[in-house]
């Protein structure tokens, strides 16, 4: 799945003030008397924030500012220059793929549309037709088990759809696997299931909704369900995957409409407007604010709301899950690994350094000497707490197990991002647990009053966790905001909240 970002918006009508106790510098308050045009702060400059800004602009609302904590737009679209001197390659720490592109003249993934518009270099990534399988004894051709896992996942989604038709309760994807008799007992089968499921959702079947994980897949990949295609295009652009959203922003954003290196500390809101305090003591005031922070930031109270968010909003925020997905990069002098694009390693411990991809491949960066492995969930969180040297040693031991007759050399370069511990993200992307109900989703997406609004990949019903989910939410929520600002309708029905999320039927208590 995909990852997200932060925008900042300052125009006429958005005030800059000094906080009590801040440094003694003089800060001018912007003139708010000129046209009394309603003002908007967009908090976060990722895909949701940029597309929200574009939507407001297209609706004739230009008195906005994007407030971005980093020095560039893109949010979780972050790239990293990796490699030894003279052999550097720009790799993607966050979102890396356009997942689902377009089939014929059917619906197009809007990310794919922007990637084509701005000329990004991508290449088809063959996840299922170009793969080599290994286990703790070295090479082991268990592609038959791998293919069975593909079939199991397809069956899982089909049976989930039947449950929706019958209005049956949701449960975990693990229960779903058990009910379709996909009861795994070997490391090879568990690794194959990981490839189908965890590698997509960044959490285990035990932690994931059976129904929501199925529609998340179908609405993106299954054209019979309105999905785009089963194609995955990997970004290889040396400007970074983020370039497509930065180039799109450059077509309409003015310099004064973005504030960079501005981390939000406090958001104060009322029926009259919103005031945002930055960590440097500066405050910005506006009539409206759109919060596009990652779910992880909201869950960890990295931003304080004054007054506290209502109970229904807090319950929704805490009931969704922020998952972590970590790519660990190595560069060696010479390639000694598989010639396929992908490889799967089955360890005795499920999820231990399982999914490998060679960047030293004719379709990607031939001669680069780069290979990376992906981990997710609890293992991602565990390795973030370890020193780089220990993580490197663990992964080299896995490589030695995969290639027992090769002396594994010392890598020229080693690096991985720490998404879970980064206070600007607190994870990679959202995942829908079985206990997260439709009412929770409505409340996660809902505005608080008509001044404080929320959008991001986590608020997307059909595309949570995907990059295109952030796009659609920026588009749709900002469209609803524009109607409110322009006095047509406020709090359209899809953005209203449920005061209390209740069971469909009562539990039966036996005395």
């Amino acid at each position: 799945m995909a990852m997200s970002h932060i925008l900042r918006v300052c125009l006429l009508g958005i005030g800059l003030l000094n906080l009590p106790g801040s440094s003694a510098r003089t800060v001018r308050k912007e003139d708010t008397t000129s046209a009394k045009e309603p003002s908007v702060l967009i908090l976060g400059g990722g895909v949701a924030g940029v597309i929200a800004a574009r939507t407001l602009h297209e609706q004739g609302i230009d008195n906005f500012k994007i407030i971005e904590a980093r020095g560039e737009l893109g949010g979780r679209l972050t790239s990293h220059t990796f490699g030894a001197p003279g052999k550097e390659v720009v790799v993607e720490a966050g979102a890396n793929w356009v997942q689902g592109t377009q089939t014929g003249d059917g619906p197009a993934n809007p990310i794919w549309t922007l990637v084509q518009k701005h000329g990004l270099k991508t290449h088809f990534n063959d996840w299922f037709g170009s793969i080599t399988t290994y286990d703790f004894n070295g090479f082991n051709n268990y592609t038959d088990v791998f293919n069975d896992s593909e079939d199991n996942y397809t069956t899982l989604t089909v049976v989930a759809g039947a449950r929706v038709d019958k209005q049956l309760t949701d449960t975990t994807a693990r229960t779903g696997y058990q009910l379709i008799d996909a009861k795994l007992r070997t490391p090879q089968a568990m690794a194959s299931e990981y490839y189908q499921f965890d590698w997509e959702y960044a959490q285990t079947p035990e932690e994931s909704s059976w129904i929501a994980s199925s529609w998340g897949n179908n609405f993106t990949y299954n054209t019979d369900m309105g999905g785009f295609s089963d194609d995955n295009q990997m970004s290889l652009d040396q400007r970074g995957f983020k370039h497509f959203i930065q180039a799109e922003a450059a077509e309409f954003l003015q310099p004064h409409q973005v504030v960079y290196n501005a981390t939000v500390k406090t958001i104060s809101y009322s029926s009259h407007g919103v005031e945002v305090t930055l960590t440097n003591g500066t405050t910005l005031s506006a009539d409206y604010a759109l919060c596009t922070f990652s779910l992880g930031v909201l869950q960890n109270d990295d931003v304080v709301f004054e007054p506290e968010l209502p109970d229904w909003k807090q319950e929704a925020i805490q009931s969704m899950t922020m998952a972590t997905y970590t790519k660990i990069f190595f560069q060696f002098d010479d390639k000694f690994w598989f010639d396929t694009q992908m490889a799967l390693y089955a360890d005795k411990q499920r999820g231990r350094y399982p999914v490998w991809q060679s960047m030293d491949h004719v379709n990607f960066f031939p001669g680069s000497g780069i290979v990376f492995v992906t981990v997710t969930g609890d293992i991602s969180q565990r390795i973030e707490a370890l020193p780089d040297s220990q993580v490197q040693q663990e992964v080299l031991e896995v490589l030695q197990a995969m290639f027992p007759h090769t002396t594994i050399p010392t890598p020229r370069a080693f690096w991985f991002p720490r998404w879970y511990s980064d206070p600007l993200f607190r994870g990679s992307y959202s995942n829908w647990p079985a206990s997260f109900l439709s009412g929770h989703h409505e409340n996660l997406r809902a505005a608080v009053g008509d001044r404080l609004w929320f959008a991001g990949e986590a608020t997307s019903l059909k595309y949570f966790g995907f990059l295109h989910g952030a796009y659609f939410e920026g588009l749709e929520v900002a469209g609803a905001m524009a109607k409110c600002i322009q006095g047509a309708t406020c709090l359209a029905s899809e953005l209203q909240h449920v005061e209390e999320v209740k069971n469909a039927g009562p539990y039966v208590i036996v005395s």
Side-chain angles (χ1 to χ4, degrees):
M1 288 190 176
M3 309 185 183
S4 165
H5 333 277
I6 300 182
L7 289 172
R8 335 141 187 131
V9 190
C10 278
L11 294 170
L12 297 176
I14 300 176
L16 277 161
L17 308 170
N18 260 356
L19 276 183
S22 62
S23 61
R25 66 189 184 284
T26 300
V27 181
R28 246 173 349 138
K29 185 174 181 179
E30 296 181 19
D31 182 8
T32 62
T33 61
S34 58
K36 286 280 187 181
E37 182 185 0
S39 53
V40 182
L41 291 172
I42 300 176
L43 309 177
V47 168
V50 171
I51 298 304
R54 190 190 70 183
T55 302
L56 293 179
H57 169 72
E58 290 171 348
Q59 295 295 318
I61 299 169
D62 281 308
N63 191 13
F64 64 81
K65 256 191 175 52
I66 297 173
I67 312 303
E68 171 53 46
R70 299 171 63 242
E72 62 178 358
L73 298 177
R76 282 168 274 171
L77 281 170
T78 60
S79 55
H80 179 77
T81 301
F82 173 74
K87 292 193 70 175
E88 299 96 335
V89 173
V90 173
V91 296
E92 300 300 330
N96 213 146
W97 296 271
V98 184
Q99 294 174 277
T101 53
Q102 186 177 20
T103 300
D105 59 356
N109 184 330
I111 303 302
W112 180 236
T113 300
L114 291 180
V115 161
Q116 293 179 300
K117 174 182 176 181
H118 296 295
L120 260 72
K121 181 181 179 181
T122 68
H123 198 285
F124 170 61
N125 192 176
D126 191 349
W127 290 350
F128 298 100
S130 181
I131 187 167
T132 308
T133 54
Y134 300 85
D135 61 22
F136 41 85
N137 292 315
F139 171 73
N140 180 358
N141 184 1
Y142 50 90
T143 52
D144 55 339
V145 176
F146 181 80
N147 292 336
D148 286 344
S149 76
E150 281 192 77
D151 294 339
N152 288 339
Y153 183 73
T154 298
T155 302
L156 186 78
T157 63
V158 170
V159 176
R163 292 184 72 83
V164 173
D165 291 341
K166 295 177 182 178
Q167 296 186 317
L168 300 180
T169 184
D170 192 14
T171 184
T172 68
R174 172 59 65 216
T175 299
Y177 271 121
Q178 300 287 73
L179 292 177
I180 65 170
D181 204 28
K183 300 173 182 177
L184 310 181
R185 293 180 174 85
T186 67
Q188 296 78 15
M190 289 188 288
S192 298
E193 179 192 80
Y194 180 102
Y195 194 94
Q196 308 295 331
F197 197 96
D198 302 44
W199 191 48
E200 182 72 30
Y201 300 101
Q203 287 200 295
T204 66
E206 288 83 357
E207 297 168 306
S208 307
S209 159
W210 181 6
I211 292 175
S213 64
S214 297
W215 82 53
N217 174 84
N218 290 342
F219 285 133
T220 291
Y221 296 115
N222 189 339
T223 55
D224 292 337
M225 298 292 294
F228 309 116
S229 74
D230 60 2
D231 186 21
N232 294 288
Q233 289 286 325
M234 186 173 191
S235 175
L236 305 174
D237 202 291
Q238 293 300 283
R239 296 167 295 183
F241 195 15
K242 62 196 175 189
H243 177 72
F244 81 84
I245 199 66
Q246 294 176 348
E248 185 69 9
E251 292 189 352
F252 68 91
L253 277 181
Q254 301 300 313
H256 68 278
Q257 290 178 303
V258 184
V259 182
Y260 292 104
N261 301 308
T263 302
V264 174
K265 179 180 180 181
T266 303
I267 301 173
S268 300
Y269 63 97
S270 70
S271 59
H272 304 293
V274 181
E275 186 172 271
V276 172
T277 304
L278 306 180
T279 54
N280 67 3
T282 302
T283 64
L284 303 95
S285 59
D287 297 302
Y288 301 88
L290 174 61
C291 181
T292 72
F293 298 140
S294 82
L295 175 69
V297 168
L298 297 177
Q299 288 178 332
N300 283 274
D301 298 329
D302 290 301
V303 176
V304 175
F305 290 87
E306 297 178 348
E308 288 187 351
L309 293 173
D311 289 346
W312 58 263
K313 190 70 172 182
Q314 293 192 54
E315 180 179 327
I317 289 170
Q318 298 302 335
S319 295
M320 192 72 162
T321 304
M322 189 67 175
T324 307
Y325 180 106
T326 309
K327 289 177 280 188
I328 306 169
F329 294 90
F330 286 83
Q331 185 182 60
F332 296 93
D333 284 325
D334 299 300
K335 178 181 174 182
F336 57 85
W337 52 88
F338 47 94
D339 291 325
T340 51
Q341 294 184 21
M342 312 297 298
L344 179 62
Y345 167 71
D347 193 82
K348 294 178 182 178
Q349 177 187 352
R350 187 183 186 281
R352 184 171 182 266
Y353 306 113
V355 180
W356 290 79
Q357 180 159 358
S358 176
M359 302 307 291
D360 193 339
H361 185 278
V362 63
N363 291 337
F364 304 131
F365 302 123
S368 66
I370 296 174
V371 64
F372 71 90
V373 61
T374 300
V375 294
T376 58
D378 291 345
I379 291 183
S380 284
Q381 294 179 21
R382 184 187 74 85
I383 67 170
E384 286 197 19
L386 301 177
D388 281 11
S389 58
Q390 184 174 340
V391 178
Q392 176 177 306
Q393 184 58 37
E394 286 185 5
V395 186
L396 290 177
E397 289 172 0
V398 167
L399 277 174
Q400 189 64 76
M402 293 169 67
F403 304 98
H405 305 299
T406 300
T407 299
I408 305 300
T410 301
R412 292 286 304 277
F414 169 81
W415 179 79
F416 68 95
R418 286 176 163 85
W419 289 105
Y420 178 70
S421 54
D422 190 325
L424 299 182
F425 305 109
R426 302 295 188 190
S428 302
Y429 49 81
S430 66
N431 187 43
W432 191 303
S435 59
F436 192 75
L437 305 180
S438 295
H440 288 130
H441 171 261
E442 291 179 39
N443 288 351
L444 185 63
R445 196 171 189 251
V448 178
D450 60 3
R451 300 291 179 166
L452 180 59
W453 299 65
F454 294 82
E457 53 84 7
T459 67
S460 174
L461 176 65
K462 294 170 66 175
Y463 308 112
F464 63 91
F466 285 101
L467 194 57
H468 45 278
Y471 178 100
F472 283 120
E473 287 301 280
L475 184 71
E476 294 172 14
V477 175
M481 282 187 76
K483 292 179 182 178
C484 180
I485 292 169
Q486 293 166 343
T489 59
C490 257
L491 295 182
S493 59
E494 69 270 19
L495 293 176
Q496 292 179 350
H497 74 273
V498 178
E499 196 63 37
E500 293 180 318
V501 180
K502 299 180 179 180
N503 289 315
Y507 285 102
V508 177
I509 307 298
V510 179
S511 59

